[in-house]
Amino acid sequence: MKNSVPIKDAWQHCPRCGRPAETKGEQPFECDVCGYFHYFSPCTAVAALIVDESGKMLFIVRGKDPGRGKLGLPGGFVDPDESAELALQREVMEELQLSAGAVEYLASFPNQYAYCGVIIPVTDLFFVVEVHNFDGMSAQPGEVDGWTFLPVESVSAESLAFDTHQRALQQYRRWTGLVDGTESNGVE
Ligand SMILES: [Zn+2]
């Protein structure tokens, strides 16, 4: 995220009246000319934890920054007027040509996403997603460079593009009883 600035610092003008922003960097943004008010609330992103019949989890190799070349869970941003569940099914289809079945909520974590020199706050929502048929998988050009199935316990934090995905894997290990801590029954 070097050379990137938080979105509240990147706003140079009021988006409603065009007046140069005098309160740059403040949250919320408030225009003292037209009175426009804006909260820099997080965007919503979704990610899918998908395991095959042998219990290995599906990871994509990211085809673009942030985290190009690193592993990530399939997913993406929720569109306006779209539910998180539908966004999940759409992204899994777009990225890998897979049909997502039943969806079960797992956890959420706050993330930051640096893109085009601007850092935006994101809420990452994680779901366990059923996929019954992995035939015909295909990586979305420009977005996904490939995919791999790995035992959940073997995935290192360094290999993942996002810290939130690592936290979701930890939560999944507890959820499935792969590590101690199931009795805590909660998010860290
Ligand atoms: Zn204004």
Side-chain angles (χ1 to χ4, degrees), residues 37 70 74 76 134:
F37 227 76
K70 290 198 159 191
F134 293 94

Side-chain angles (χ1 to χ4, degrees), residues 14-19 29 31-36:
C14 170
R16 187 171 179 227
C17 74
R19 170 102 169 172
F29 171 90
C31 178
D32 55 12
V33 175
C34 74
Y36 178 72

Side-chain angles (χ1 to χ4, degrees), residues 22-76:
E22 290 173 8
T23 56
K24 220 173 71 156
E26 290 187 8
Q27 161 82 308
F29 171 90
E30 185 177 7
C31 178
D32 55 12
V33 175
C34 74
Y36 178 72
F37 227 76
H38 185 89
Y39 288 94
F40 295 99
S41 303
C43 300
T44 308
V46 291
L49 291 87
I50 298 168
V51 294
D52 67 7
E53 287 173 350
S54 68
K56 288 180 178 170
M57 188 168 287
L58 173 59
F59 294 89
I60 61 160
V61 180
R62 291 181 59 81
K64 67 175 188 182
D65 281 323
R68 183 174 186 181
K70 290 198 159 191
L71 299 180
L73 296 164

